[in-house]
Amino acid sequence: EVQLVESGGGLVKPGGSLRLACVASGFTFSDYSMNWVRQAPGKGLEWVSAISSRSSYIYYADSVKGRFTISRDNARNSLHLQMNSLRAEDAAFYYCARGGPYCGGGMCLLDHWGQGTLVTVSS
Amino acid sequence: EIVLTQSPGTLSLSPGEGATLSCRASQNIIVNYLAWYQQKPGQAPRLLIYNAFSRATGIPDRFSGSGSGTDFTLTISRLEPEDFAVYYCQQYGSSPPITFGQGTRLEIK
């Protein structure tokens, strides 16, 4: 069974930093691209970032470019999101999601999702 | 960037009725790379339909997807109580970003 478990969320002040983690199990992690998607409470879904299976290709939403860094450790089946210069509008549940087998232009179907970790940005 | 517009914003129906949810794209979606997700309160989104009409593993056959190009539909026949949730469409057919529709809330009438 595919499992994705996020951690690292919490309360941070504007301008602060946070590092999220996602640990994967139940599949060969190094065969799949991975993504971060966020959802502000009561709002819709927003794709944040994607990384290919061997980290060769990395993509970011314009809203986080230059502030967030996605990375992965295939030996540890883990995905990370380093978030710097956090703003109030970055407050959300952050989900990691596996990239499925269908991809266009580097973007893939999101076939499995974790339960999310909550990031709160407030002074 | 491909913008996805879902309609209606809210759909009020009774169990046993059928539901039709729409997703319209601002540009053609290549290879019909469009998915539908269901999200219940306090839960992560769950994949229902991919490539416009293929059901994901374990999804009941009362859920069906159709459409091509810029117009796509999710149909739920014979609504069950557990089907009342928020539904999102998503495209993955073009260069970044992945985009989602704003969601359709399906509520019990």
Side-chain angles (χ1 to χ4, degrees):
Chain A
E1 179 194 2
V2 172
Q3 285 201 313
L4 300 168
V5 180
E6 302 94 336
S7 62
L11 174 62
V12 62
K13 289 182 169 57
S17 298
L18 213 53
R19 182 174 171 84
L20 305 184
C22 170
V23 175
S25 60
F27 65 102
T28 304
F29 183 72
S30 58
D31 285 347
Y32 292 85
S33 66
M34 295 296 297
N35 296 260
W36 288 99
V37 178
R38 68 185 180 184
Q39 184 175 38
K43 302 297 185 183
L45 300 167
E46 180 188 15
W47 172 81
V48 172
S49 183
I51 186 168
S52 62
S53 59
R54 307 289 178 178
S55 306
S56 301
Y57 300 98
I58 288 175
Y59 306 97
Y60 297 101
D62 286 345
S63 57
V64 306
K65 206 171 289 183
R67 300 187 298 122
F68 289 12
T69 302
I70 192 172
S71 62
R72 65 189 294 160
D73 184 341
N74 286 346
R76 290 182 165 81
N77 290 352
S78 63
L79 174 74
H80 294 93
L81 186 68
Q82 176 67 42
M83 304 187 296
N84 298 332
S85 304
L86 282 161
R87 307 167 179 165
E89 55 265 34
D90 295 319
F93 285 95
Y94 283 74
Y95 297 100
C96 72
R98 190 179 81 167
Y102 301 99
C103 305
M107 299 289 96
C108 299
L109 170 70
L110 305 177
D111 63 356
H112 290 276
W113 298 59
Q115 283 304 302
T117 187
L118 179 61
V119 172
T120 304
V121 183
S122 174
S123 54
Chain B
E1 171 178 330
I2 296 179
V3 176
L4 299 178
T5 302
Q6 293 186 240
S7 61
T10 302
L11 189 55
S12 299
L13 294 168
S14 299
E17 292 190 291
T20 301
L21 287 66
S22 173
C23 177
R24 176 162 289 178
S26 60
Q27 306 169 38
N28 272 351
I29 295 180
I30 296 170
V31 200
N32 293 330
Y33 276 171
L34 184 113
W36 291 93
Y37 299 86
Q38 176 193 67
Q39 188 178 32
K40 297 180 181 179
Q43 297 184 16
R46 176 175 73 143
L47 176 65
L48 297 176
I49 300 288
Y50 63 94
N51 297 355
F53 59 83
S54 298
R55 268 188 302 276
T57 303
I59 301 303
D61 60 8
R62 63 179 181 273
F63 291 90
S64 63
S66 62
S68 64
T70 60
D71 288 298
F72 298 87
T73 300
L74 175 69
T75 302
I76 313 171
S77 62
R78 305 179 312 278
L79 284 164
E80 298 286 344
E82 61 267 28
D83 298 337
F84 291 91
V86 179
Y87 292 84
Y88 294 95
C89 59
Q90 176 233 337
Q91 67 81 23
Y92 46 101
S94 68
S95 52
I98 283 172
T99 50
F100 295 90
Q102 81 279 20
T104 289
R105 180 178 305 277
L106 179 56
E107 63 178 26
I108 298 178
K109 189 173 182 180

